[in-house]
Amino acid sequence: FTLQILAWGLRNMKNYQLAPVLSPSLIVECGGEMVESVVIKNLKKTPNFPSSVLFMKVLLPKEELYSPSLVLKVVDHRPFGRKPIVGQCTIDLLESFRCDPYTTKEDIAPQLKVSLLSAAPRHDTVIEMEDTQPLLAAQEEEIVDWWSKFYASVGEHEKCGQYIKKGYDTLKVYDCELEKVPEFNSLTDFCDTFKLYRGKSEDSDDPSVVGEFKGSFKIYALPDDPTIPAPPRQFRELPDSGPQECIVRIYIVRALQLQPQDNNGLCDPYIKISLSKKVIEDRDNYVPNTLNPIFGRMYELSCFLPQEKDLKISVYDYDTLTRDEKVGETIIDLENRFLSRYGSHCGIPSQYCISGVNTWRDQLKPTQLLQNVARFKGYAPPVLSENGRKINYGGRDYTLDEAEANKILHQHLGPGEERLALHILRTQGLVPEHVETRTLYSTFQPNISQGKLQMWVDVFPKSLGPPGPPFNITPRKAKKYILRVIVWNTKDVLLDEKSITGEEMSDIYVKGWMPGNEENKQKTDVHYRSLDGEGNFNWRFVFPFDYLPAEQLCLVSKKEHFWSHDKTEFRIPPKLIIQIWDNDKFSLDDYLGFVELDLHKTIIPAKVPEKCNIDMIPEYKVDSSQKAPRSASLFEQKSMKGWWPCYVEKDGSRVLAGKVEMTLEVVNEKEAEERPAGKGRDEPNMNPKLDLPNRPETSFLWFTNPCKTMKFIVWRRFKWLFIGLIILLIFLLFVAVLLYSLP
């Protein structure tokens, strides 16, 4: 058998006998044979071997069970001829390295080829490309951002707005690390990582990892007849082994199910990035009081590969007085992603866009990437025809019409030849545009998950020029809106009291608020002594609120306890609650009824009170066969006016408690400045101006208006009694005078 060894390099070598490892070489032993690599002159500057491919002829049994082990030894060449072994690795199973050298003739570097990045694009390009494309002048009116794309990809369509209907592309969300996705072979298709151990210095010591060897092996049989030519060699096309300066973009989307760190069972997480000696501690942007924080942060670093290959992403818990605690961390090998043939340096999106939120961000355009893929696979260069609407690749014709059949085309798409080339690339098994879910681990509990982090990493070599613009994944910021409610009148309100004269009446007022902002409850003035359930108010409520248009939710920030340091954020649907009350001066006010209105599905009001009834609001029952009420979004309508029914639950059934005439209006911050309006009837009393209500003379508070009390209560009720008493009194006085004047 021939054992072909790809000795790529050494990484993270620890000191040996207090001295750093500077000039190592690799010794490979198998089946009584040995081969040694050339010496790395300076491990810190160039950690890769100058000559990467080694050969050994070994006698191996055909049965894997009896195969000898493969032993790797790293020897450091020190002064005075000292050559200590500074690390060792033993590989017991060789079956995974066996291959058939004749099976992949078409592929220049079968199973192990440089990534699409490692070779610069050829100058004799078949497809000529225009670098400039006219950008869209006008921005999209609707709310479409990267989070729309993310929520559309994870199935939360209620948060993505019109994104899917516009025909925009989605991304792939993996529920594990990219290295654990089966079709990408752990991203070790170019070379594996073997941990080097030093063994025990004492019986009580555990063998510790002292470094890593990057490389791979291929084992294949030699022909028995020496006249037959030897099989083709493996590892024929290798990338440049020198250091590569790269731009690394780390996108942290959100974390899930973090381990609680605080006494309240929650956490105040923030991100810390470590890449060699570069550290970004994003402590100022911690997310308070949550186990599922939305970070929406992008960090950009420059690094040299392979020296700075280990990217460590940690999540810490923010503490004001004590030391911050580490929740967990995850480590990404950037070198594997850079060298992998799966294009894991930058995922391939499903659409080629030159503007909008999905702007192409790779350094090479799809046609250039396709040429590289064709060259690596041994295909002829792709041939463009029919003005970019047809490409011949790998002996097959692809047309743009077939690629975009039954797809919605939008204004952000780029040229047709790039879209078609991208369609072909999507069939080549490359890593798609994605978000991976990485498990966080702690050094104190190495095998127990501390939570998950949804993120992705882009790696761009500077030798290929500047990359495209980064995605803006900043969390959605709530916009300030104001709900204006004008309460005009009420009608048919329940008469809850009896006056001192026995008349049924109610002292009506209306109260309103938005759930989540209960501290901003507002109420009208009181319409006293309503004898027929009618109330007149002309009163304005003003409810400011923070709103996320794309998610159609209100953002509420409040402290859970008065001693809480930070506010906790809640997202709730925008609703309005209106209640009718009966005012009492010497006891608690009496609750009469309410109506709850969802601002996104606001019930269409009745134009006249006679048509306003309780059937306008359906009962929400599981087996309800009622048809859905007529409703509309107040955010689209902007304004509604009419009569809504208020009801109260009594003995398990709903009873109409009254009807309220209102105007509902939603305005944004700019509109509110242009058209100001004050609360109640306060200044600025405009848009519209509210006059004093035209209430009947009978509407007054009895003990503050004694004259009106006599006029409208006592006199109206006991008028004939008073007249009779006066006549009787005059008659008695006349009789008394008559009797007095008799002789």
Side-chain angles (χ1 to χ4, degrees), residues 405-569:
N406 302 321
K407 290 185 179 179
I408 302 173
L409 303 182
H410 52 82
Q411 70 269 31
H412 299 297
L413 293 175
E417 65 267 18
E418 301 294 347
R419 291 164 15 217
L420 183 53
L422 179 58
H423 168 73
I424 301 171
L425 282 172
R426 296 277 295 186
T427 65
Q428 302 302 304
L430 302 176
V431 173
E433 184 182 1
H434 66 278
V435 169
E436 58 181 304
T437 305
R438 302 191 67 86
T439 303
L440 300 170
Y441 293 103
S442 169
T443 51
F444 301 107
Q445 298 172 312
N447 298 319
I448 299 176
S449 169
Q450 304 297 315
K452 295 182 182 297
L453 197 64
Q454 290 190 320
M455 55 162 294
W456 84 93
V457 177
D458 289 340
V459 183
F460 302 108
K462 288 189 176 181
S463 59
L464 294 184
F471 284 147
N472 179 14
I473 66 167
T474 305
R476 290 169 167 168
K477 293 182 179 178
K479 296 186 177 181
K480 293 192 178 297
Y481 280 77
I482 295 173
L483 173 63
R484 295 174 177 172
V485 182
I486 301 176
V487 181
W488 300 105
N489 302 296
T490 60
K491 201 172 183 65
D492 300 337
V493 176
L494 292 176
L495 303 179
D496 191 59
E497 295 181 344
K498 287 190 177 182
S499 67
I500 56 176
T501 60
E503 295 172 303
E504 288 190 343
M505 51 162 268
S506 281
D507 297 332
I508 303 170
Y509 70 90
V510 179
K511 183 190 292 186
W513 73 91
M514 293 185 69
N517 290 300
E518 284 80 2
E519 63 276 2
N520 189 26
K521 288 182 179 179
Q522 299 177 34
K523 58 184 180 181
T524 65
D525 58 353
V526 182
H527 183 117
Y528 290 104
R529 288 182 46 78
S530 174
L531 305 176
D532 56 1
E534 183 175 334
N536 312 110
F537 298 98
N538 296 358
W539 194 273
R540 183 186 288 111
F541 297 151
V542 179
F543 301 113
F545 63 100
D546 294 325
Y547 179 66
L548 297 163
E551 299 183 25
Q552 299 184 349
L553 294 174
C554 286
L555 188 66
V556 179
S557 300
K558 58 172 64 176
K559 291 186 177 182
E560 292 188 355
H561 309 285
F562 71 89
W563 62 82
S564 299
H565 180 262
D566 296 296
K567 292 182 178 180
T568 305
E569 289 188 351

Side-chain angles (χ1 to χ4, degrees), residues 266-384:
L266 297 173
C267 189
D268 305 319
Y270 67 89
I271 296 295
K272 183 177 179 180
I273 306 283
S274 303
L275 184 60
S276 184
K277 295 181 180 180
K278 304 180 183 71
V279 177
I280 298 176
E281 191 171 21
D282 202 10
R283 196 169 184 266
D284 293 338
N285 292 299
Y286 71 96
V287 184
N289 300 330
T290 180
L291 299 178
N292 300 287
I294 294 178
F295 290 111
R297 303 285 295 167
M298 193 280 290
Y299 308 94
E300 185 170 304
L301 297 167
S302 62
C303 71
F304 284 91
L305 294 179
Q307 292 96 321
E308 302 170 328
K309 73 176 185 68
D310 290 324
L311 172 67
K312 182 189 291 185
I313 303 164
S314 309
V315 176
Y316 278 79
D317 173 52
Y318 177 94
D319 286 314
T320 308
L321 302 177
T322 59
R323 184 180 178 182
D324 295 350
E325 299 176 359
K326 182 191 288 186
V327 179
E329 66 183 21
T330 181
I331 298 175
I332 299 175
D333 190 326
L334 296 179
E335 185 183 15
N336 282 356
R337 302 201 173 201
F338 182 76
L339 295 174
S340 171
R341 72 181 176 93
Y342 293 106
S344 51
H345 69 283
C346 180
I348 302 292
S350 57
Q351 291 181 353
Y352 179 73
C353 298
I354 57 174
S355 61
V357 297
N358 298 319
T359 303
W360 184 261
R361 69 187 194 282
D362 204 340
Q363 293 161 302
L364 304 181
K365 293 183 179 179
T367 45
Q368 294 172 301
L369 292 173
L370 187 61
Q371 285 197 51
N372 284 338
V373 174
R375 184 161 56 89
F376 293 141
K377 291 201 170 185
Y379 297 160
V383 178
L384 180 75

Side-chain angles (χ1 to χ4, degrees), residues 145-164:
D145 55 8
W146 182 88
W147 288 94
S148 304
K149 180 179 191 173
F150 178 72
Y151 288 129
S153 304
V154 298
E156 298 182 28
H157 294 165
E158 67 278 0
K159 295 183 180 180
C160 65
Q162 300 293 316
Y163 187 86
I164 297 177

Side-chain angles (χ1 to χ4, degrees), residues 653-668:
S653 61
R654 301 185 306 171
V655 177
L656 183 66
K659 305 170 185 177
V660 58
E661 183 186 19
M662 297 185 294
T663 296
L664 308 183
E665 183 183 20
V666 169
V667 294
N668 57 34

